[in-house]
Structure formats: structure tokens, C-alpha cells
């Protein structure tokens, strides 16, 4: 890995693309990447990677001048709850641990990089096994969305470490965020990002991930509130790495929730599975999933698969699902993708109702069964419980199911 300048303004990672000027391409493998905002201009909404996004809602996150303007009060606060073996630091942007996991890939990513002043660095110490999850609670206090904000988080799982990190977003904010993640050889990390924002929030996040050697990563995205655009870029450095990427989202009326996972297999004998499931309800609910996977020329022995499923619960909701697979090496273990969007399964509902179950309870069971497979894979009980409770609450709000009576009622 080449040495970086202290300000990282021209940082380049081996294998990254360099570009003399701004351009947009349909292939994720050939996207422009840069630390310089001049190289990635404000999009117009016609570009392939922005054609699904409501541009007016996300426009404040494109504006570098607004993101760097002086402010009297901070729009975000961070509270940490850390077990032994996890350490938290605040680091200046000149810290050599920053800007080493690839360059930003879109306008919100590059403004997030250019606008932050200090970064939050969370490290799992070498050989540490965390007894419980390390939590960062990111709370937005900008109810009027008057102060668009940039944030940079660095997560490092050192060699032999094992543990879970939860990034929990609540409150209201207009936030563009960069998250750099390194999983060292022999480390096992579960990283969960929960978007539990209030409805008015707008959040774009670019996760840049490097799994080294035989490192193991479980990457989990849970989107429940606000307008969100989450772009995880998942890559390998060395042979034998493993990535499981899971996503769960529940999109309400008027909400936009967009997820764009990209897995770059550039090393031999690496494994990845990408599985996202979402439900939509209400007029104007819009979910977007664009899943890309590259199998590079040197990535012999790759084993990869990506899957997206959407359950449309009411009229007026819309889901766009686009899986893409680029293969440059046919000497692989396996590769594939699947995508489906549909409404309630009439046969499932008939089967349940024929056994004396009411229609509302049957619908509840179908929805929870749809999510259960992926929720069980998260492996973090507090996240699983919160997610299933939130799903039931959302269903009750719109009357898709009736509110369940508590035992004391």
C-alpha cells in the first residue's frame, strides 16, 4: 500500500481508479473515485447511480459550502458504550489511519470526506474477544434540517479480534457520512448500522470495507426511518476472506430508502453472500436496491451470490430492484443473483385462514415469516428484538394488521 500524504488530498489505494476529470459510467467497476470534490461533481439525477434518488431531498448533502459553514451548535452527538477490548478515539483528519480503504465513490461520499474536521476511531484490540456489542449512538438534534452535517467513522478490527459494533442512528439530521472498516487477517467482525431516524431525517452513507487475508465480516444494514441512501463497498485484500452482507428495511408512505451494496472480488478464493429483504407500505413509499458484484480477472475460486426480495403490502408503494454481476474470470466456485418483488402470497393466506387463523393474524405471520430468515442471521439479540418490534409497530400504524392486545388488556 503506497504511503499517503498527511492531508490525504490525493490519497490513492492500490487498485483504485484515478481520473483526470468527472465522468459517470454504468459499470460499478469503472466508477470515478476520488478524495477531491472537484472530480465528482454535483449530480443532475440523470446519471445511472442517481436516477432513482429524489435529488431535492438529498441536495443539501451535495453542498460542500453548506457542510463546512461555521455553526453555533452541533447537529449530531455521539454516545459510546464500549466493552473491554474496544477503544474509542477522536482523530484529526491528518491521522494516517484515515483515507486508506479506498476513495469516495459518489458526491455524498466525497463531500463527507472533504467536510469532516475530526473522525471517530473505534478499534478492537488485537486478540480481543468482546463480551458484548460496542455501541455508538449517533443522535441528530437538527429538527429543522438547518445544518447539513458531515461525519467520518473509522472501525478497525485488529488481528485475532472478534466482536460486534453497532452504529445506531436516531433523531433528526441531514447527514452525509463516511465509514471506513478494516477487518485484519484472522479477525471476525459483525458491524450493524441501524437507521432508526425520525421521518424528516436525510442520511447518505458510504461504507468502504477491506477484509484482509482470512478475515471474516458480517455487515448488517437495518433501515427503519428517514430518507436514506446507504452504499456499502465491500472488498478484499488477500486470499480467503469472507463477507456476509445482510439488509432489512421497512419503507413507509413518502419515504425513500435506497441500498447499493457492491462486492469487489479481486482476490482468489474469497466468499460473499449478499441478502437484502424489505417491505413497503403507503402511498409514495419507494425502496431501491442495486446490488453489484465484480469477479475480477485474478479472483479465481470465487464463491458469491446476491439476493433481494421485496414485499409490497399496500397500493401506492414501489420497489426498484437491480442485481448486476460482472465476471472476468470463469474459474470460480459459483456466482449468481436473484431478485423478486411481490405482494402477499394468496396461497399462504388461504392456508392459514383455512386453519382458523384470522386474516389480520395471517397477514402478520406472513410478514414476520418473510423477515424471520434474515433477522435470525443477524446474530445480535438486541437488534433482532428491536427490528421485529418495529416491524409489528409499522404494520399496526397502517392497519395492515390489527394492534395486538397485551396480556393485561
Amino acid at each position: 500500500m503506497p504511503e499517503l500524504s498527511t492531508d490525504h488530498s490525493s490519497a490513492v489505494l492500490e487498485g483504485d481508479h484515478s481520473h483526470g476529470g468527472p465522468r459517470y459510467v454504468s459499470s460499478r467497476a469503472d466508477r470515478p473515485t476520488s478524495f477531491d470534490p472537484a472530480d465528482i461533481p454535483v449530480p443532475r439525477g440523470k446519471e445511472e447511480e442517481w436516477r432513482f434518488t429524489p435529488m431535492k431531498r438529498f441536495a443539501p448533502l451535495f453542498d460542500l459550502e453548506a457542510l463546512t459553514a461555521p455553526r453555533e451548535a452541533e447537529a449530531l452527538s455521539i454516545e459510546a458504550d464500549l466493552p473491554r477490548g474496544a477503544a474509542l478515539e477522536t482523530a484529526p483528519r491528518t491521522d494516517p489511519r484515515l483515507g486508506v480503504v479506498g476513495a469516495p465513490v459518489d458526491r455524498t461520499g466525497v463531500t463527507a470526506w472533504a467536510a469532516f474536521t475530526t473522525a471517530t476511531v473505534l478499534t478492537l484490540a488485537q486478540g480481543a474477544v468482546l463480551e458484548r456489542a460496542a455501541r455508538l449512538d449517533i443522535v441528530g438534534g437538527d429538527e429543522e434540517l438547518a445544518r447539513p452535517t458531515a461525519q467520518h467513522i473509522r472501525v478497525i478490527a485488529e488481528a485475532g479480534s472478534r466482536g460486534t459494533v453497532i452504529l445506531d442512528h436516531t433523531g433528526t439530521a441531514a447527514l452525509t457520512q463516511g465509514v471506513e472498516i478494516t477487518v485484519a487477517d484472522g479477525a471476525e467482525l459483525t458491524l450493524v448500522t441501524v437507521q432508526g431516524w425520525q421521518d424528516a431525517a436525510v442520511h447518505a452513507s458510504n461504507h468502504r470495507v477491506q477484509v484482509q487475508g482470512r478475515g471474516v465480516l458480517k455487515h448488517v444494514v437495518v433501515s427503519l426511518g428517514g430518507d436514506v441512501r446507504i452504499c456499502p463497498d465491500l472488498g478484499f485484500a488477500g486470499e480467503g476472506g469472507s463477507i456476509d452482507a445482510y439488509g432489512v428495511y421497512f419503507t413507509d408512505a413518502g419515504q425513500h430508502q435506497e441500498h447499493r451494496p457492491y462486492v469487489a472480488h479481486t482476490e482468489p478464493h474469497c466468499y460473499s453472500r449478499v441478502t437484502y429483504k424489505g417491505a413497503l407500505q403507503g402511498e409514495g413509499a419507494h425502496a431501491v436496491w442495486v446490488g453489484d458484484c465484480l469477479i475480477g480477472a485474478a479472483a479465481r475460486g470465487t464463491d458469491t451470490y446476491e439476493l433481494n426480495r421485496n414485499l409490497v403490502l399496500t397500493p401506492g408503494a414501489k420497489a426498484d430492484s437491480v442485481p448486476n454481476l460482472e465476471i472476468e474470470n470463469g474459474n470460480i466456485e459459483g456466482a449468481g443473483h436473484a431478485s423478486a418483488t411481490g405482494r402477499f402470497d394468496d396461497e399462504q393466506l388461504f392456508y392459514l385462514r383455512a386453519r382458523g387463523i384470522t386474516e389480520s393474524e395471517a397477514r402478520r405471520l406472513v410478514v414476520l415469516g418473510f423477515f424471520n430468515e434474515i433477522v435470525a442471521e443477524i446474530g445480535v439479540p438486541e437488534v433482532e428484538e428491536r427490528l421485529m418490534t418495529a416491524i409489528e409497530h409499522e404494520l399496526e400504524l397502517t392497519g395492515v394488521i390489527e394492534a395486538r392486545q397485551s396480556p393485561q388488556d
Side-chain angles (χ1 to χ4, degrees):
M1 185 178 293
E3 185 177 352
L4 300 177
S5 62
T6 55
D7 67 358
H8 303 286
S9 61
S10 59
V12 177
L13 185 70
E14 244 176 39
D16 274 358
H17 307 286
S18 59
H19 303 267
R23 66 185 180 93
Y24 290 90
V25 293
S26 59
S27 171
R28 289 287 294 265
D30 293 330
R31 296 166 304 166
T33 64
S34 178
F35 290 93
D36 185 352
D39 290 339
I40 306 180
V42 175
R44 295 171 296 175
K46 302 296 185 181
E47 299 84 359
E48 176 62 27
E49 64 265 45
W50 289 101
R51 65 189 180 97
F52 295 116
T53 309
M55 302 302 287
K56 288 184 179 180
R57 297 190 210 177
F58 285 82
L61 307 184
F62 304 150
D63 188 346
L64 185 58
E65 183 176 343
L67 288 163
T68 55
R71 59 195 67 198
E72 295 181 0
E74 292 298 324
L76 287 178
S77 63
I78 299 180
E79 299 177 2
D81 179 14
L82 305 180
R84 181 177 302 177
L88 191 69
E89 306 169 63
T90 298
R93 59 181 300 113
T94 54
D95 191 296
R97 295 169 295 181
L98 307 180
V100 297
V101 190
V105 300
D106 63 18
R107 181 63 185 182
T108 57
V110 77
T111 57
W113 170 262
F116 82 89
T117 54
T118 58
T120 299
V121 181
L122 177 60
T123 304
L124 277 58
Q126 182 173 344
V129 178
L130 303 191
E131 60 185 10
R132 56 184 174 84
R135 293 182 57 94
L136 292 182
D137 293 326
I138 301 160
V139 182
D142 185 11
E143 295 184 2
E144 303 298 325
L145 299 182
R147 305 185 302 278
T149 301
Q151 182 183 60
H152 195 81
I153 296 175
R154 180 76 167 100
V155 179
I156 304 169
E158 295 183 341
S161 64
R162 187 169 62 206
T164 297
V165 173
I166 300 174
L167 309 178
D168 194 358
H169 304 82
T170 57
T172 304
L175 172 64
T176 180
Q177 180 188 61
V179 182
E180 288 186 89
I181 304 162
T182 300
V183 183
D185 188 8
E188 297 181 17
L189 174 67
T190 295
L191 186 133
V192 183
T193 175
V194 181
Q195 284 65 243
W197 298 106
Q198 296 297 312
D199 289 344
V202 179
H203 178 201
S205 187
N206 179 201
H207 288 214
R208 301 193 291 278
V209 175
Q210 184 184 79
V211 175
Q212 300 174 349
R214 295 188 176 275
V216 176
L217 172 68
K218 182 186 292 186
H219 186 271
V220 182
V221 177
V222 178
S223 295
L224 298 172
D227 292 328
V228 301
R229 189 178 194 267
I230 313 297
C231 300
D233 275 30
L234 312 167
F236 301 91
E239 188 171 350
S242 176
I243 296 175
D244 282 294
Y246 297 103
V248 181
Y249 48 95
F250 201 110
T251 312
D252 268 334
Q255 264 184 358
H256 178 89
Q257 295 182 340
E258 185 169 347
H259 302 90
R260 291 177 166 266
Y262 171 51
V263 183
H265 281 272
T266 57
E267 304 291 335
H269 302 292
C270 292
Y271 169 96
S272 71
R273 291 291 185 273
V274 177
T275 308
Y276 277 59
K277 284 189 174 186
L280 303 86
Q281 66 178 8
E283 188 68 34
H286 188 199
V288 176
W289 181 87
V290 180
D292 289 324
C293 179
L294 167 70
I295 301 176
R300 65 187 183 278
T302 291
D303 185 356
T304 183
Y305 197 86
E306 58 180 6
L307 169 72
N308 178 230
R309 293 281 188 266
N310 294 290
L311 183 60
V312 179
L313 302 177
T314 64
K318 179 184 178 182
D320 288 292
S321 181
V322 185
N324 297 303
L325 181 60
E326 301 177 61
I327 303 176
E328 299 176 353
N329 185 337
N331 183 18
I332 60 176
E333 292 294 321
H337 57 70
S339 168
T341 298
R343 59 183 180 85
F344 278 113
D345 188 317
D346 290 335
E347 290 187 3
Q348 289 180 335
L349 290 176
F350 177 80
Y351 177 88
L352 293 169
R353 294 195 68 190
R355 280 147 182 81
I357 298 174
T358 64
E359 181 176 356
S360 61
E361 182 66 7
R363 288 176 176 270
R364 171 182 170 273
L365 292 174
V366 169
V367 174
L368 297 186
F370 172 78
F371 281 115
N372 184 67
E373 180 183 2
I374 191 170
V375 172
E377 292 291 340
I378 293 176
V380 183
E382 64 178 281
V383 174
E384 295 175 5
E385 181 179 355
R386 175 180 172 187
L387 177 56
M388 298 308 286
T389 300
I391 289 170
E392 293 212 44
H393 177 66
E394 295 291 346
L395 293 173
E396 292 165 4
L397 285 178
T398 56
V400 172
I401 64 172
E402 296 174 358
R404 302 183 74 203
Q405 298 298 311
S406 61
Q408 63 268 27
D409 289 342

